[in-house]
Amino acid sequence: MKHLNIYLMLLGFSVFTGATFNLAKYTVVYFSPSSAAAWRFGVAAAVMLIILIFTEGIKKSQLQQNIVIYIVLGLIGIFGFNALFFIGLKYTSPVNGALIMGLNPLLTTIFARIILKDHITKKQVFGICFAFLGVLLVITQGSIETITTLSISIGDVIIFAGSVCWALYGVLGRKFIKNGTPLSTTTYTMVIGAVSLIVVSLFTSNPVSIPNIPIEAWGAIAFMALFTSVLGYLWWNQGMKEIGASKTSLFFNLVPVVTMTISFAFGTPIKVFQILGALLVILGVLTSSGVISLPKYKAEKQSAA
């Protein structure tokens, strides 16, 4: 199958990101949100820089040509997305936040159409619809009351802004990066974002002092840094380059499914509607990526008797 490696990478992105929600919930017991993000992306940026130096090398012409867009993408996709997401969760419920983040593939498709002039196929439209319906079922557990009682708060607006940042990160990078590779783009934007997060973290304090933070919490930070940030962002940018913004963004909808599965593994029961939602999300991804083809109806001419 064409682009099979890319789809497997994006599946890995979904798995790592899904695990990150569980790990982040654990780490904020010991770290402030800004400090956790700073440690995560500080380590990730250092690793990415080392990898870049020993593989592609730092190309001054490439850096000079794209320095402005690297700064913009770092502030939007690394600093902006993470800062807005954590701040938004202080003022709204996880249900509201997850529902809003579920709009990301739709936002990315819209931005790709406006900015990149990408053509939106019927398969992508059906895929987005299937996946978003699946996300609704996973998060609300099939309860209509959960949806009808949702209310818009300042936190919802902030998280929506974070979702916009993530959508723009991929689309703008594909539009404006000249002669760049997924590795160089991920590295330079991550360095910019990490520096920004570190600066902000200097003005906050942790719930627990550094010497008293357990090794498990540091392990969670290391996992998020190496797998979610390094491999995850790298694979995401590779997907944007190879298969486009709309198809790549749809894999973001697998994240709640992964989070649900991990929670189940640790003893949280799963309901029927959540399983049905997970299947719809998978169906949406497979439809949009072309693994499953939509039925075609051809009009047949009838001969006169």
Side-chain angles (χ1 to χ4, degrees), residues 49-101:
L49 199 55
I50 292 172
I51 294 174
L52 180 65
I53 291 173
F54 285 97
T55 54
E56 298 179 2
I58 296 178
K59 301 175 182 177
K60 292 184 179 180
S61 59
Q62 182 189 76
L63 187 56
Q64 292 173 346
Q65 188 177 13
N66 297 297
I67 185 62
V68 175
I69 189 62
Y70 284 150
I71 293 174
V72 171
L73 292 179
L75 293 176
I76 290 177
I78 310 297
F79 174 77
F81 169 67
N82 287 279
L84 291 170
F85 178 74
F86 281 114
I87 293 172
L89 284 179
K90 290 184 177 181
Y91 304 102
T92 190
S93 69
V95 172
N96 283 41
L99 284 171
I100 294 168
M101 291 305 295

Side-chain angles (χ1 to χ4, degrees), residues 40 42 55 78 96 143 157-158 173 177 196 213 219 236 264 271:
R40 169 187 167 184
T55 54
I78 310 297
N96 283 41
S143 172
V157 176
I158 294 173
I177 295 294
S196 303
I213 295 176
W236 185 267
F264 174 73
K271 298 183 178 180

Side-chain angles (χ1 to χ4, degrees), residues 175-192:
K175 172 72 174 180
F176 295 107
I177 295 294
K178 306 298 181 184
N179 301 318
T181 64
L183 176 58
S184 61
T185 299
T186 304
T187 300
Y188 295 134
T189 57
M190 194 168 288
V191 168
I192 297 297

Side-chain angles (χ1 to χ4, degrees), residues 65-199:
Q65 188 177 13
N66 297 297
I67 185 62
V68 175
I69 189 62
Y70 284 150
I71 293 174
V72 171
L73 292 179
L75 293 176
I76 290 177
I78 310 297
F79 174 77
F81 169 67
N82 287 279
L84 291 170
F85 178 74
F86 281 114
I87 293 172
L89 284 179
K90 290 184 177 181
Y91 304 102
T92 190
S93 69
V95 172
N96 283 41
L99 284 171
I100 294 168
M101 291 305 295
L103 291 171
N104 188 269
L106 178 59
L107 288 173
T108 302
T109 300
I110 292 173
F111 285 139
R113 181 71 182 96
I114 296 173
I115 298 173
L116 302 176
K117 309 301 180 184
D118 279 3
H119 175 65
I120 303 175
T121 65
K122 289 184 179 180
K123 286 193 297 185
Q124 290 172 325
V125 173
F126 276 101
I128 290 172
C129 292
F130 284 141
F132 184 62
L133 179 59
V135 170
L136 285 176
L137 288 175
V138 168
I139 296 171
T140 65
Q141 302 178 26
S143 172
I144 297 178
E145 182 181 357
T146 302
I147 300 175
T148 57
T149 55
L150 292 176
S151 58
I152 298 176
S153 67
I154 184 62
D156 298 328
V157 176
I158 294 173
I159 288 183
F160 179 76
S163 187
V164 170
C165 285
W166 182 253
L168 286 173
Y169 175 73
V171 174
L172 292 177
R174 189 177 167 209
K175 172 72 174 180
F176 295 107
I177 295 294
K178 306 298 181 184
N179 301 318
T181 64
L183 176 58
S184 61
T185 299
T186 304
T187 300
Y188 295 134
T189 57
M190 194 168 288
V191 168
I192 297 297
V195 170
S196 303
L197 288 168
I198 290 171
V199 171

Side-chain angles (χ1 to χ4, degrees), residues 11-33:
L11 180 61
F13 164 86
S14 301
V15 171
F16 296 151
T17 305
T20 294
F21 279 86
N22 301 81
L23 293 172
K25 184 176 181 179
Y26 171 69
T27 56
V28 293
V29 175
Y30 305 99
F31 297 88
S32 68

